[in-house]
Amino acid sequence: MGKDFTTALRPAIVMTILFAALLGIAYPLAMTGVGQAIFPAQANGSLVRDAGGRVIGSAVVGQAFAAERYFQTRPSAAGKGYDGLASSGSNLGPTSKALVDRVTPDVAKRRAEGATGAVPADLVTASGSGLDPDLSPAAALAQVRRVARVRGLAEAQVRALVEAQVDTSLFGDPHVNVLALNRALDAIRR
C-alpha cells in the first residue's frame, strides 16, 4: 500500500506544480501582454487625462462629484464611496426599510434642487458594483436646473449638452458618462 501511495503522489505533485505555473503565472502574463498590445488604454484602466496630461479619472469607474456646479453621480455603496478596493452593492432589496431610510433624504435633496416628477432611481440608489460611472439620461436631465442655476447658464444650453452626451451604443440602455459630461460642461465658455 505504501508504494502505491508514493507512486500516485509524485504525479499529483508534479501536475499541481505544472498547472500552478501554467495557469497562475504563464497564462496571466500572456493575457496581460495581449491586453497591453491590442487594448493598451483599456488594459491600463481607461484613464482620462486633462490637457496637461494629469490623470483626472477613469471612463469606466465612477467618482464622486460633490460640488453643486457639477452633475453628480449615483450614490456608491463601495466603501466610503467609489473605493475600488471595496466594490460592492448595498444588497438592500426593494422592501428593505434600511433602503427606504437611506433613499428618502436623497429624494428630498433632489426635490430641493428642483427635480420634478418621479426622481430617477439611479440618482438615489447605488449600482451593483458601487462604481458605476454612468447615469440614465433621465437622471442627468433631472439635474439640469441646478447645474444651470449654479453656473449661470441657460437651462436649454445645459439640457442640449446632456442630450449631446447620451450614448446610445448597440449594447445596453442609453446612458451618460458623468465624467465626460462634467468635462464638456467645464469646456463651456460663458
Side-chain angles (χ1 to χ4, degrees):
M1 165 106 182
K3 184 166 171 61
D4 290 340
F5 179 73
T6 56
T7 304
L9 186 60
R10 182 170 181 225
I13 291 172
V14 168
M15 293 303 287
T16 299
I17 292 170
L18 174 69
F19 279 107
L22 181 66
L23 300 175
I25 298 170
Y27 180 75
L29 285 175
M31 290 298 100
T32 299
V34 168
Q36 289 291 339
I38 298 174
F39 305 109
Q42 293 86 343
N44 290 313
S46 300
L47 300 177
V48 176
R49 298 178 187 277
D50 65 8
R54 192 185 74 199
V55 174
I56 58 170
S58 170
V60 295
V61 177
Q63 61 191 49
F65 289 94
E68 290 289 307
R69 56 186 276 110
Y70 288 111
F71 285 90
Q72 295 167 357
T73 54
R74 66 188 305 165
S76 175
K80 294 186 190 274
Y82 293 98
D83 178 3
L85 297 175
S87 174
S88 69
S90 66
N91 294 328
L92 299 175
T95 60
S96 168
K97 176 153 176 27
L99 178 63
V100 171
D101 292 343
R102 205 211 50 72
V103 166
T104 300
D106 285 346
V107 171
K109 176 184 173 193
R110 298 302 179 187
R111 293 270 183 244
E113 292 172 349
T116 58
V119 174
D122 53 334
L123 275 182
V124 295
T125 59
S127 67
S129 69
L131 302 173
D132 192 356
D134 302 321
L135 285 175
S136 67
L141 289 169
Q143 299 181 65
V144 164
R145 180 175 291 151
R146 172 185 45 84
V147 171
R149 177 182 44 80
V150 170
R151 288 194 176 238
L153 299 170
E155 282 187 37
Q157 182 183 16
V158 178
R159 181 172 283 105
L161 181 69
V162 169
E163 290 168 353
Q165 291 289 321
V166 174
D167 182 356
T168 56
S169 60
L170 183 61
F171 301 106
D173 294 329
H175 59 276
V176 177
N177 184 286
V178 179
L179 177 59
L181 176 60
N182 284 332
R183 290 189 74 205
L185 187 63
D186 280 343
I188 293 176
R189 302 280 183 235
R190 291 192 305 140

